[in-house]
Amino acid sequence: MNTVVQKFTADGITVVGGIPSMTSSPEEIADFAARADVLTVNLGTLDAERRRVILRAVEVVNAAGKPWILDPVHCDYSPSRLAFAQELIALGPTIVRGNAAEMALIGSTGPGLRIQTGEVDRIGSGGEGVRVANGHRWMAEVTGTGCLTGGVIAAFMAVEPDALVAAASALAVTGVAAELAAPLSRGPGSFGVAFLDALSAIGERELLTHARIHYDQD
């Protein structure tokens, strides 16, 4: 996980009922990956050691047949980061999740589910797709909301084997939580706290009232 946002992301995973681990220790990563239900690989902060640790974690979960998510953060900024993201994609992530610029380089087709985030989040796999139109503009002004959302997707994948269903549900939950948090906030600073509170308290009634999920099929 991106070291800048580890606590915020861990808090988001925790409030939806998951148990997060942010370990990147070469001595521990194989053991932690073996115990995990889902692995999230976030390229937000990279160095040579973290690259080796990521490859080892992916090796472990692939051998065990477990799902994993790749978030190729800022692969559009650095040729070496893009090359590493493409190397990871060749290893078969269950989900690749990025913004429009990142996904333009990664590509919208290939093995696994593709999620393009934005004002409307677009989830696609083969001929079917889902659009989730929930969220709030302050999500873009609080560092880590995207990484947190990726963590929530992973938590949902731990209990829902259909990656499309898990991803759409997680994006709807985080988007609705953001919409509920915004009226209680004075700006991005207080929004981050209110967002976690709303994510913890959200229930079926709020989702049925506010979720905007659209299904597409070619």
Side-chain angles (χ1 to χ4, degrees):
M1 180 52 62
N2 184 341
T3 57
V4 176
V5 298
Q6 285 184 346
K7 182 183 184 304
F8 188 52
T9 302
D11 287 345
I13 294 170
T14 300
V15 300
V16 299
I19 301 173
S21 169
M22 303 293 164
T23 187
S24 59
S25 165
E27 295 79 20
E28 294 183 324
I29 191 62
D31 293 326
F32 273 77
R35 289 177 62 92
D37 296 300
V38 185
L39 171 70
T40 298
V41 174
N42 183 296
L43 304 188
T45 46
L46 273 181
D47 55 39
E49 181 173 279
R50 290 177 69 83
R51 289 171 186 249
R52 290 192 295 271
V53 168
I54 287 169
L55 289 172
R56 178 59 177 143
V58 170
E59 179 184 20
V60 170
V61 297
N62 272 348
K66 296 179 179 181
W68 61 285
I69 302 169
L70 173 62
D71 194 339
V73 177
H74 291 327
C75 68
D76 54 324
Y77 282 27
S78 161
S80 65
R81 186 174 296 222
L82 175 60
F84 186 55
Q86 291 170 332
E87 179 182 353
L88 291 171
I89 288 172
L91 297 176
T94 311
I95 291 177
V96 180
R97 173 193 172 279
N99 62 30
E102 293 157 356
M103 297 307 289
L105 292 174
I106 294 300
S108 59
T109 60
L113 197 66
R114 294 296 197 267
I115 300 175
Q116 180 173 306
T117 58
E119 186 173 344
V120 175
D121 297 323
R122 302 180 183 277
I123 313 164
S125 176
E128 63 179 345
V130 171
R131 290 171 287 125
V132 180
N134 292 104
H136 190 272
R137 64 181 177 85
W138 280 339
M139 294 181 79
E141 299 181 30
V142 177
T143 301
T145 54
C147 301
L148 182 155
T149 299
V152 174
I153 292 172
F156 279 37
M157 290 173 68
V159 296
E160 170 52 61
D162 188 319
L164 182 65
V165 172
S169 301
L171 290 167
V173 165
T174 53
V176 170
E179 292 173 2
L180 297 175
L184 306 176
S185 309
R186 298 187 305 277
S190 54
F191 172 76
V193 175
F195 175 57
L196 283 174
D197 288 343
L199 192 58
S200 175
I202 197 168
E204 181 179 353
R205 182 179 63 181
E206 290 83 4
L207 290 170
L208 289 174
T209 302
H210 298 286
R212 296 187 296 278
I213 303 173
H214 309 279
Y215 180 71
D216 302 313
Q217 188 169 18
D218 293 340

